Amino acid sequence: MAAGVVVARRRSVALIWAALALALTMAVLLTAFAIARVIAVTAISPSVLPSTVTGTLLDAVIGAMRDTAVAVLVLALVVALVGWLAGPFRTPRALRGLAATGARRLREAAESRGVSTGRVGERLYAQRVLLRVVVAAVAAAVVVFARPLSPGLIVGTLVLAALALAVLEILQRPAITVPADADDDTPVLVR
């Protein structure tokens, strides 16, 4: 799946479809686990093994696999959502623009009251792509290396990464310079 996304022309679309296919696969697997449990409990005679014992044994055998399938299902849905939000589609672009405008207005309101991040904000702005990659890499590392993998861990990691990106967006500020040939005090925004 990853190789297919990498070689695809429209990677964002390929990422979304691959993630949705993985989510569907996990949903089918979870359904199969549930059906297998019902069949096993009803197929084994209670005189040989009581149903509660059969259910407990099956839960012990497939419980970890079921938990992992649920976590991978949630992860796949999160990847599809993030792929859609990061994609070139109209609605996500509008949402990203709205978030950037909100962060800019919040930053401007703070600066009008004398609160500014100054040179630190300018450095954050200059390194914004690297910082976003670092946040994404840390979030990915948490999901890859943390065990046991759970839906709560995945959603919590997503929320914390989104909060970190929002804080970075608010703290960063484009450098404001005054051109040498300017006679007035109008600052020029350098991008």
Side-chain angles (χ1 to χ4, degrees):
M1 290 177 123
V5 170
V6 169
V7 300
R9 280 190 204 169
R10 296 180 63 196
R11 289 189 182 117
S12 59
V13 174
L15 176 66
I16 293 167
W17 281 110
L20 290 176
L22 181 60
L24 180 63
T25 302
M26 292 300 109
V28 168
L29 182 61
L30 288 168
T31 304
F33 283 151
I35 291 170
R37 186 179 193 286
V38 169
I39 290 172
V41 168
T42 58
I44 298 175
S45 171
S47 63
V48 175
L49 194 62
S51 338
T52 56
V53 174
T54 304
T56 303
L57 287 173
L58 283 171
D59 288 341
V61 171
I62 64 172
M65 291 185 287
R66 186 180 51 236
D67 294 345
T68 301
V70 169
V72 172
L73 171 67
V74 171
L75 179 62
L77 292 175
V78 165
V79 168
L81 175 66
V82 169
W84 180 75
L85 286 172
F89 314 108
R90 182 182 310 171
T91 303
R93 278 198 319 254
L95 290 172
R96 290 191 307 265
L98 183 65
T101 300
R104 188 188 79 241
R105 287 184 181 169
L106 185 62
R107 191 170 43 247
E108 289 171 354
E111 287 179 0
S112 72
R113 288 170 177 76
V115 178
S116 174
T117 55
R119 290 187 178 255
V120 172
E122 292 173 7
R123 291 285 295 162
L124 290 173
Y125 181 78
Q127 300 297 322
R128 66 188 179 280
V129 173
L130 174 65
L131 292 170
R132 290 173 185 160
V133 168
V134 167
V135 169
V138 168
V142 167
V143 171
V144 168
F145 296 117
R147 292 294 175 258
L149 190 61
S150 69
L153 174 75
I154 294 167
V155 172
T157 302
L158 173 68
V159 168
L160 288 176
L163 285 173
L165 291 173
V167 167
L168 286 173
E169 188 68 29
I170 292 168
L171 292 178
Q172 71 183 8
R173 67 188 288 265
I176 298 176
T177 61
V178 178
D181 61 342
D183 293 333
D184 60 358
D185 293 334
T186 307
V188 176
L189 180 64
V190 177
R191 293 200 183 246

